[in-house]
Amino acid sequence: KFEFEKAELGEIACILLSLDLLNIETISCSPLPMGEGSVLIGGVLHPIPLPSTLHLMVGMKVCPGPLGSNKESVTRNICALLRALTMQNGVQNKRPLLSTLDEISVGTDNEQRVGRLIIENYENKPGPKSSMSNNLPYNIDTLNHLEANLDDCTGEMLSFGIEILMNNGAIDAWVTPIVMKKGRAAHTLHCLCHSSSEITERLLLVMFEQSTTLGIRIHKDIARVALHRSFLSVETP
């Protein structure tokens, strides 16, 4: 647990206000540079990044900092802000496949750290709102595909496994017949799910528990195009 200073809170408030005025809907960021070296605080030598900043980086994408730099590459308040704005349910937002570049802004702070803000108009952002605004009749989603080959499962086990997968958040689950080595007849159990690590981990456990497989293949970030749909209740004669 740590507290922010007034100057840090003021900086965060200004950034949030700017994002609101720009009508920004979703935010993503590049991997955070870790930095290197150490800094003297209160007579104690601390490694970079500082413990509070390092704690905020847990679960976020990171990369090595500039070589030879003995300064923080990412401050604590900026790291906290990016964590709050780019992570949902423990998963960082990903940039959609297509976008139109609208605006670019570059600036530096007192320590000569350069920051860059890029505003894009996503052409394939999931959801009816973005698709309909481009007059497209479909959404483009990013999904994960899980699959396992099974040669010692009964039809009853496979059927029940599909039912459990669907009840635990799978978008779709199905079985395909295959022929394995030495001509053995077998099946592949498939599962399609949203690219959330929480959902994927839960479905992996289900596949291990409800089948005899020893390993599962994970195909990540598969693009799926799905038409808009709606449900209507109608009266029939």
Side-chain angles (χ1 to χ4, degrees):
K1 182 179 179 179
F2 49 86
E3 297 180 355
F4 288 98
E5 298 178 358
K6 290 183 179 180
E8 293 176 313
L9 293 175
E11 185 179 45
I12 292 174
C14 289
I15 293 174
L16 292 175
L17 179 60
S18 300
L19 294 174
D20 182 62
L21 293 174
L22 290 169
N23 294 318
I24 303 299
E25 295 184 11
T26 60
I27 297 176
S28 60
C29 68
S30 57
L32 303 179
M34 292 283 288
E36 61 179 22
S38 56
V39 60
L40 192 64
I41 300 178
V44 179
L45 196 63
H46 292 272
I48 293 176
L50 298 176
S52 56
T53 306
L54 190 62
H55 176 77
L56 291 167
M57 287 181 172
V58 173
M60 302 185 71
K61 300 292 184 182
V62 297
C63 65
L67 294 177
S69 174
N70 198 35
K71 298 179 181 179
E72 281 188 297
S73 299
V74 180
T75 60
R76 180 179 64 172
N77 50 324
I78 294 301
C79 187
L81 187 66
L82 290 174
R83 183 179 183 86
L85 295 176
T86 67
M87 296 193 71
Q88 299 181 14
N89 299 321
V91 180
Q92 275 191 275
N93 296 336
K94 296 181 179 179
R95 293 179 61 186
L97 302 177
L98 300 174
S99 65
T100 300
L101 189 61
D102 285 349
E103 300 285 346
I104 297 176
S105 178
V106 178
T108 63
D109 62 5
N110 295 332
E111 298 293 334
Q112 298 302 308
R113 287 178 289 239
V114 178
R116 182 177 63 183
L117 173 66
I118 300 176
I119 301 177
E120 298 171 299
N121 179 22
Y122 291 148
E123 299 175 10
N124 65 329
K125 185 173 59 178
K129 181 178 179 182
S130 61
S131 300
M132 293 303 291
S133 64
N134 292 325
N135 296 319
L136 297 176
Y138 55 80
N139 299 328
I140 301 180
D141 302 314
T142 302
L143 308 175
N144 288 346
H145 178 197
L146 317 179
E147 62 177 15
N149 293 345
L150 306 165
D151 63 352
D152 54 355
C153 275
T154 65
E156 291 80 5
M157 290 177 63
L158 294 171
S159 176
F160 185 69
I162 290 175
E163 180 180 347
I164 299 300
L165 287 169
M166 297 298 294
N167 290 339
N168 278 272
I171 296 175
D172 197 6
W174 67 99
V175 171
T176 55
I178 60 172
V179 177
M180 298 181 66
K181 59 185 179 182
K182 299 183 179 180
R184 298 200 310 273
H187 297 86
T188 299
L189 176 62
H190 303 267
C191 176
L192 202 62
C193 64
H194 290 291
S195 55
S196 161
S197 61
E198 180 182 355
I199 295 176
T200 301
E201 290 171 2
R202 182 166 69 244
L203 293 174
L204 286 171
L205 288 175
V206 171
M207 291 183 70
F208 279 123
E209 292 173 354
Q210 300 299 327
S211 74
T212 56
T213 186
L214 298 177
I216 300 171
R217 294 180 295 278
I218 305 176
H219 306 283
K220 291 187 174 182
D221 300 333
I222 296 174
R224 181 195 67 165
V225 178
L227 288 172
H228 299 314
R229 67 202 73 177
S230 60
F231 296 92
L232 300 175
S233 297
V234 298
E235 295 183 3
T236 59

